């Protein structure tokens, strides 16, 4: 066994980000244990890894204690898209809070290093722009997004209390909107929705006037940020923003997707969801200075890769439906 080979646990490992992370960790020569309850994750996402002896998948809900032996833990388990996390809000909070307690307890017993996938949602609908890590946020604690936002905020609190109280080695990343292949086609997130709608020639659903902004990071860039943060010296606990600082309006994104797909889809305006943040863009000065990290993949390139992925997925679905008919 090489000295750099580690046993790494990835919770939520069959999800969009988790599956890319597992792939990256296996490629680097680590033993990877993927834990997932398959609420939003899919076995297909990790299917290519199953033939690899370094990779193992375990069905488990992080709301329950887990007894395994590992050196590092990446805690990603939690539905991330508004329609998924609002489907069973109580379970969403439990996943963030009980999941964090269980994984921190595991890390404490093993003296393992532990990473938390936190979110830009801890800033809520921000009144500071772009968002720095010092900004304490503007979250509505009783709104429909609160199960996710407050669950993630509480998880951050737990991470820092375990750090202070038990001297655990923690890493907290605040992830901003990320997109790429293996996003769930029905998760309602803006990039997957627009691409699927454009490929099917359906109307592109713009919520509100489309002037709200997000900053979209390609998945490969984000995973590089995870790896660098985990490898950083132990005094680097975070929280640290990871995201692409190039801000785009939802309307601009729609026009870009239509052009790249070559679609004839029309734009259709729908009501803006409750508590939908007006502006969101990360200040990544900390990640640049401390990790030497910044996104490299331009939006157009990332969208082209993602369009290719969904195009293949939709073609496979059609072929499957034709076989079943
Ligand atoms: P995803 O929904 O694709 O992945 C989440 C995974 O967690 C899924 O595989 C799901 O089945 C699993 N899961 C959910 N509840 C679980 C439970 N109780 N026990 C075990 N597994 C459970 O979402 P994603 O985009 O890959 O997000 C991964 C993490 O990153 C999440 O914690 C999310 O909050 C965070 N994040 C993502 C983004 C983004 O833009 N993708 C932005 C901010 C934060
Ligand atoms: N959005 C949209 N049309 C869609 C899906 C989302 O206009 O079909 C908007 C949504 O209201 C929000 C932005 O796109 O302003 C990003 O939404 P997403 O759910 O992807 O992420 P989040 O709101 O969590 O940042």
């Amino acid at each position: 066994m090489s000295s750099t080979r580690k046993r790494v646990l990835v919770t939520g490992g069959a999800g969009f980000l988790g599956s890319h992370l597992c792939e990256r960790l296996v490629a680097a020569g680590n033993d990877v244990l993927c834990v997932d309850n398959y609420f939003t994750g899919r076995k297909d996402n990790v299917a290519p890894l199953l033939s690899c002896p370094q990779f193992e998948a375990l069905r488990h809900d992080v709301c329950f204690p887990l007894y395994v032996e590992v050196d590092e833990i990446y805690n990603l388990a939690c539905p991330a898209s508004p329609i998924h996390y609002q489907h069973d809000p109580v379970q969403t909070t439990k996943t963030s809070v009980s999941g964090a307690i269980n994984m921190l307890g595991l890390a404490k017993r093993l003296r393992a290093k532990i990473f938390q996938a936190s979110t830009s949602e801890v800033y809520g609908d921000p009144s500071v722009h772009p968002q720095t890590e010092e900004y304490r946020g503007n979250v509505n604690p009783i709104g429909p997004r609160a199960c996710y936002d407050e669950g993630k905020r509480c998880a951050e609190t737990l991470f820092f209390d375990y750090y202070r109280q038990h001297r655990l080695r923690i890493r907290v990343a605040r992830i901003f909107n990320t997109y790429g292949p293996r996003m769930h086609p029905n998760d309602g997130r803006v990039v997957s929705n627009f691409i699927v709608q454009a490929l099917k020639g359906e109307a592109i659903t713009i919520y509100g006037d489309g002037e709200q902004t997000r900053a979209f990071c390609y998945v490969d860039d984000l995973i590089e940020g995870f790896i660098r943060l985990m490898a950083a010296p132990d005094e680097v606990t975070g929280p640290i923003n990871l995201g692409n600082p190039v801000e785009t309006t939802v309307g601009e994104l729609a026009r870009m997707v239509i052009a790249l797909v070559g679609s004839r889809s029309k734009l259709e305006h729908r009501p803006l969801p409750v508590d939908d943040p007006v502006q969101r863009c990360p200040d990544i000065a900390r990640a640049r200075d401390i990790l030497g990290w910044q996104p490299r993949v331009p939006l157009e390139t990332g969208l082209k890769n993602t369009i290719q992925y969904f195009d293949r997925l939709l073609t496979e679905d059609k072929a499957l439906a034709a076989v079943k008919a």
Side-chain angles (χ1 to χ4, degrees):
M1 192 164 94
S2 90
S3 59
T4 53
R5 181 167 172 176
K6 297 185 202 83
R7 298 164 301 172
V8 188
L9 165 63
V10 180
T11 76
F16 162 47
L17 299 180
S19 60
H20 284 274
L21 177 62
C22 288
E23 210 171 77
R24 176 79 192 260
L25 291 166
V26 167
N30 300 292
D31 285 314
V32 175
L33 173 61
C34 160
V35 161
D36 206 295
N37 70 350
Y38 302 108
F39 172 46
T40 53
R42 285 169 300 162
K43 289 182 182 168
D44 277 357
N45 286 344
V46 289
L49 290 172
L50 288 172
S51 59
C52 174
Q54 285 163 261
F55 180 80
E56 198 181 340
L58 175 70
R59 179 189 287 270
H60 176 81
D61 184 326
V62 294
C63 295
F64 299 94
L66 177 69
Y67 297 94
V68 293
E69 309 301 316
V70 292
D71 306 302
E72 289 182 353
I73 302 169
Y74 286 86
N75 187 36
L76 272 62
C78 187
S81 83
I83 58 166
H84 285 149
Y85 69 65
Q86 289 171 23
H87 169 74
D88 185 350
V90 174
Q91 178 62 23
T92 298
T93 304
K94 278 188 190 167
T95 295
S96 276
V97 178
S98 303
I101 291 171
N102 288 325
M103 292 310 113
L104 286 161
L106 177 65
K108 185 180 159 215
R109 175 172 73 78
L110 301 171
R111 302 312 302 169
K113 208 172 1 172
I114 181 165
F115 171 105
Q116 168 66 359
S118 191
T119 170
S120 53
E121 292 283 331
V122 300
Y123 301 123
D125 189 3
S127 49
V128 164
H129 200 73
Q131 292 82 58
T132 61
E133 291 85 351
E134 284 76 27
Y135 177 53
R136 293 188 186 173
N138 176 32
V139 172
N140 173 2
I142 57 168
R145 295 175 86 103
C147 58
Y148 183 72
D149 303 6
E150 297 290 12
K152 290 284 187 179
R153 285 172 71 94
C154 183
E156 285 200 11
T157 306
L158 285 160
F159 268 69
F160 278 85
D161 282 337
Y162 268 78
Y163 166 69
R164 284 184 290 259
Q165 198 174 330
H166 301 296
R167 291 191 303 276
L168 219 60
R169 291 177 296 154
I170 62 159
R171 306 285 189 274
V172 176
R174 290 186 180 152
I175 305 164
F176 284 66
N177 297 65
T178 301
Y179 69 99
R182 298 200 203 121
M183 289 184 90
H184 198 294
N186 303 320
D187 74 1
R189 281 189 267 195
V190 68
V191 173
S192 43
N193 263 13
F194 285 3
I195 293 178
V196 170
Q197 289 162 345
L199 285 168
K200 289 183 169 172
E202 293 170 356
I204 305 280
T205 53
I206 296 189
Y207 302 159
D209 60 8
E211 288 305 304
Q212 71 270 38
T213 68
R214 295 294 186 271
F216 299 101
C217 184
Y218 189 62
V219 62
D220 291 355
D221 281 332
L222 185 80
I223 301 300
E224 176 64 27
F226 283 14
I227 302 286
R228 287 189 189 210
L229 178 55
M230 196 59 139
D234 283 342
E235 58 271 22
V236 182
T237 57
I240 196 156
N241 289 340
L242 293 179
N244 193 326
V246 180
E247 203 174 343
T248 311
T249 69
V250 164
E252 277 163 4
L253 178 75
R255 288 185 284 278
M256 222 169 152
V257 168
I258 289 176
L260 290 172
V261 170
S263 169
R264 278 191 269 168
S265 291
K266 301 265 181 301
L267 303 182
E268 184 180 299
H269 287 268
R270 300 250 180 104
L272 194 67
V274 176
D275 291 337
D276 198 278
V278 177
Q279 272 190 312
R280 191 189 290 140
C281 183
D283 180 321
I284 61 162
R286 246 194 220 185
R288 271 202 188 102
D289 293 351
I290 300 174
L291 308 177
W293 176 87
Q294 63 179 19
R296 309 237 164 253
V297 181
L299 184 56
E300 188 170 319
T301 312
L303 284 177
K304 280 183 186 163
N305 294 346
T306 314
I307 289 167
Q308 242 175 39
Y309 167 78
F310 279 115
D311 197 21
R312 219 176 31 242
L313 198 74
L314 294 180
T315 312
E316 282 166 11
D317 280 357
K318 255 194 232 155
L320 199 68
V323 172
K324 280 187 184 160

